Amino acid sequence: MNLSGITQALETINIRPDEIHDEQLSETIRILLQLIEELSEDNEELKAENQKLRDEISLMKGEQPKPDIKPSGKKPNVDISSEEERKPNNTPKNKKSKTKKPKIKIDRVEVCEVDKGILPDDAEFKGYQSVVVQEIIIKTDNVEYKKEIYYSPSQNKTYMGKTPSEIEGEFGPGVKSTVLTLKHVANVSEPKIHEFLGNFNIHIAPSTISRILTKNKELFHREKADIFRAGLFSTGYQQMDDTSSKVHSQNHYTHIVCNPYYTAYFTTPRKDRLTVLDILRGDPDGESRSYCFNEEAFGIMAKGLQRNKVANVIK
């Protein structure tokens, strides 16, 4: 029985120690009721702590913890008598639909001509009525690059043409960007990405999809570093917070650095002062940690030495 059930049971019994004439019995009942309340509260706390430990064990095993089901937020039924009271009060009046045309990029324009054979002799051209139709085309663009080969007998050397700089491996940037977009924007699983590409006759192995998602991401890291650096210089202040996170079942901390123009996330094993300084320098791993020794630093060190000498003298 939980705390609320015990409270209801005691209210049902309706024991009033103040109305008992025997003072010793009244005091005994009062103490017992207080003990029941304290033990019930301790029991609830132990249950919550036990469930928390169970959830942590489940996470370490790779299982899901107990779901936190919130109570229903439905409003209680209200007896509404008239038709006017049943109508919602927040219904917008004279709502105008926002046009999307300025946001749509026009890729091509086609003119829908009128059959001149059906026009009367006095028909005059009055312009066009514009209708924008959005469409997307997904098709393959498989290219066979034939690299020229020349051989020089005098130099005993072979010369070969090069593919465009953006081509690396068997798949072009379009396939790679599609894989990244489906995974990180649409939250599509890797098997479904493989199935999607297969429907368009793209012959790619699941392991290749995994490598596209996990390998050779230096360009993205550099882009993030540039964005973070620009964000730091965009204002004279930064807001920072951290929250607990798990990396391979190990406790880590996710640091959030932001201002009105950007938000950046960094996950580190610690959240001490040096880690925060490393993050603000754009080096969350602390690989290029450096120290500044100037006149101010030497002054602080000198003051520290003086304090130590005074402390030793006092001792």
Side-chain angles (χ1 to χ4, degrees), residues 17 36 134 192:
I36 292 173
Q134 298 184 74
K192 285 298 180 182

Side-chain angles (χ1 to χ4, degrees), residues 126-177:
K126 296 296 184 179
Y128 299 95
Q129 179 186 5
S130 179
V131 178
V132 177
V133 177
Q134 298 184 74
E135 180 63 287
I136 186 171
I137 300 175
I138 302 177
K139 63 179 182 180
T140 59
D141 187 25
N142 299 328
V143 181
E144 179 183 0
Y145 291 98
K146 291 190 174 182
K147 299 189 290 185
E148 293 182 337
I149 300 175
Y150 288 87
Y151 174 72
S152 171
S154 61
Q155 297 183 3
N156 192 23
K157 185 177 180 180
T158 300
Y159 297 86
M160 183 181 296
K162 296 181 179 180
T163 56
S165 58
E166 67 271 12
I167 302 299
E168 295 181 3
E170 302 178 31
F171 301 96
V175 172
K176 295 177 181 178
S177 61

Side-chain angles (χ1 to χ4, degrees), residues 62-73:
E63 302 174 354
Q64 294 294 329
K66 181 181 178 181
D68 185 12
I69 302 175
K70 303 294 183 182
S72 175

Side-chain angles (χ1 to χ4, degrees), residues 75-303:
K75 296 181 179 180
N77 294 330
V78 180
D79 186 11
I80 300 175
S81 57
S82 65
E83 185 67 24
E84 291 296 329
E85 292 177 346
R86 293 192 185 97
K87 295 181 180 179
N89 296 326
N90 57 354
T91 304
K93 297 181 180 179
N94 300 327
K95 183 178 179 181
K96 296 181 180 179
S97 60
K98 296 181 180 179
T99 178
K100 296 184 292 185
K101 285 186 178 181
K103 301 179 181 179
I104 299 175
K105 174 191 172 186
I106 304 300
D107 298 302
R108 59 191 175 95
V109 177
E110 289 191 7
V111 177
C112 301
E113 298 181 350
V114 178
D115 184 5
K116 303 301 189 294
I118 64 173
L119 293 177
D121 296 336
D122 59 347
E124 297 179 0
F125 178 71
K126 296 296 184 179
Y128 299 95
Q129 179 186 5
S130 179
V131 178
V132 177
V133 177
Q134 298 184 74
E135 180 63 287
I136 186 171
I137 300 175
I138 302 177
K139 63 179 182 180
T140 59
D141 187 25
N142 299 328
V143 181
E144 179 183 0
Y145 291 98
K146 291 190 174 182
K147 299 189 290 185
E148 293 182 337
I149 300 175
Y150 288 87
Y151 174 72
S152 171
S154 61
Q155 297 183 3
N156 192 23
K157 185 177 180 180
T158 300
Y159 297 86
M160 183 181 296
K162 296 181 179 180
T163 56
S165 58
E166 67 271 12
I167 302 299
E168 295 181 3
E170 302 178 31
F171 301 96
V175 172
K176 295 177 181 178
S177 61
T178 300
V179 170
L180 293 170
T181 302
L182 290 174
K183 179 63 177 179
H184 298 296
V185 178
N187 199 24
V188 181
S189 64
E190 293 184 27
K192 285 298 180 182
I193 294 175
H194 182 259
E195 181 181 347
F196 174 82
L197 295 176
N199 288 335
F200 295 97
N201 205 24
I202 297 293
H203 301 278
I204 185 171
S207 58
T208 304
I209 295 176
S210 179
R211 283 195 296 270
I212 292 175
L213 293 172
T214 57
K215 304 295 183 181
N216 301 323
K217 294 296 172 285
E218 291 78 10
L219 178 63
F220 295 100
H221 292 304
R222 289 198 299 269
E223 182 180 10
K224 177 187 176 181
D226 293 339
I227 294 173
F228 180 60
R229 191 177 300 107
L232 289 177
F233 288 104
S234 62
T235 60
Y237 69 94
Q238 308 296 323
Q239 292 180 317
M240 194 168 186
D241 198 0
D242 63 81
T243 183
S244 300
S245 60
K246 293 282 187 179
V247 178
H248 301 300
S249 301
Q250 300 297 321
N251 291 328
H252 279 63
Y253 301 94
T254 298
H255 302 265
I256 304 97
V257 187
C258 64
N259 65 26
Y261 302 106
Y262 83 103
T263 301
Y265 299 87
F266 302 90
T267 300
T268 62
R270 294 175 296 277
K271 62 172 184 177
D272 54 4
R273 175 178 173 274
L274 289 177
T275 301
V276 173
L277 292 176
D278 290 336
I279 291 173
L280 293 176
R281 291 189 304 105
D283 180 28
D285 297 328
E287 296 178 353
S288 60
R289 183 179 295 172
S290 58
Y291 301 90
C292 178
F293 290 95
N294 53 17
E295 294 182 0
E296 183 179 0
F298 285 114
I300 295 174
M301 293 171 63
K303 291 180 180 179

